[in-house]
Structures are given as structure tokens and as C-alpha cells.
Amino acid sequence: MKLVRYILGLLVPPLGVFLTVGVGPTLIINVLLTLLGWLPGSIHAIWVIAKHDEQLSREGRIY
């Protein structure tokens, strides 16, 4: 699932962010960045997914 989120974060940034953190301010920011251009949205999505995975691994709950 982790690889799928990274691929979707690269190809369809809001979908990757949605699958990672759900609906919230992070998703709204990503949608706005994606509307400004695909590259800013993709960079933000990859960053959000990586930070989320890092936080889960620190808590010892990553699968």
C-alpha cells in the first residue's frame, strides 16, 4: 500500500494525500498547489506521504 500511495502521490497528488491523511487542511493545500501546477502538488504529496510514514515508523506501527 505504501508504494501505491507514493505512485499516486506522484501521478495524482490529491489522491495520494487523501489516502494518507484523509480530508483536512493538508488535502486542501495539496489541491490548491496542484491547481497551480502539477509539480508543486506532487512535491507536496510526496513530502506529506514521507512524513506520515516517518511518524508511523517512529511510533512502531508501520506495516
Side-chain angles (χ1 to χ4, degrees):
M1 184 65 178
K2 190 158 100 171
L3 180 62
V4 172
R5 285 186 292 143
Y6 277 105
I7 291 172
L8 287 173
L10 188 62
L11 299 177
V12 186
L15 185 56
V17 172
F18 173 73
L19 291 175
T20 303
V21 296
V23 177
T26 306
L27 178 63
I28 294 169
I29 291 169
N30 188 264
V31 168
L32 293 174
L33 285 170
T34 303
L35 289 174
L36 289 174
W38 171 79
L39 188 60
S42 293
I43 292 170
H44 180 256
I46 297 298
W47 181 76
V48 167
I49 295 167
K51 286 296 180 182
H52 181 75
D53 289 343
E54 180 184 313
Q55 181 182 14
L56 286 180
S57 68
R58 258 189 278 149
E59 294 175 3
R61 297 187 329 192
I62 195 161
Y63 300 103

